[in-house]
Amino acid sequence: MDMPTPCPHCGNVVELNDMVSHPNEFKSMVCEECHDLIETENNQGSFTDDYGNKLTWVATPDDGLLEIYVNGKNITTWGYEDDPEAFFSDFMAIWNKAQASTKSGNGGAA
């Protein structure tokens, strides 16, 4: 190796030319493997609602799609523009209202 450089994220030593920009930190570099891992973490999330349902979301930025799963089952796919977390928050507002209506027994009447 001409310029061995440790990745600050995982500690693996890679060639300096193989380092890429950190997705979240402007002035930091990481190895390509860590970059991909961080990007994957940035494009997914999870939440447990008041009724014990585990909701997870996975964004595919290239397609602008947000897949939403409840207890491991895909229930919908939404398109998004900028921030998948903001769109998931919008979904959660609708989800919580629907869950509250269903659990209160009024069948969705508001």
Side-chain angles (χ1 to χ4, degrees):
M1 278 189 190
D2 290 331
M3 295 191 71
T5 307
C7 173
H9 193 261
C10 68
N12 288 340
V13 177
V14 297
E15 182 66 41
L16 177 63
N17 292 336
D18 293 336
M19 300 285 277
V20 293
S21 296
H22 191 291
N24 301 339
E25 299 171 14
F26 178 68
K27 295 183 177 183
S28 183
M29 303 281 283
V30 293
C31 67
E32 288 185 35
E33 188 175 311
C34 286
H35 179 273
D36 293 344
L37 178 66
I38 295 165
E39 280 289 311
T40 299
E41 289 173 2
N42 287 344
N43 292 319
Q44 63 186 10
S46 65
F47 181 79
T48 302
D49 70 8
D50 293 338
Y51 301 101
N53 296 304
K54 182 175 181 185
L55 289 93
T56 56
W57 59 270
V58 177
T60 50
D62 293 340
D63 298 328
L65 297 176
L66 180 70
E67 295 179 71
I68 300 172
Y69 298 83
V70 176
N71 299 324
K73 182 179 177 186
N74 184 326
I75 61 165
T76 190
T77 300
W78 280 16
Y80 75 95
E81 292 179 16
D82 297 323
D83 183 8
E85 287 186 72
F87 278 78
F88 183 72
S89 292
D90 292 344
F91 173 82
M92 283 305 300
I94 296 166
W95 175 263
N96 287 331
K97 195 170 198 176
Q99 290 295 305
S101 294
T102 301
K103 298 298 180 183
S104 68
N106 62 9

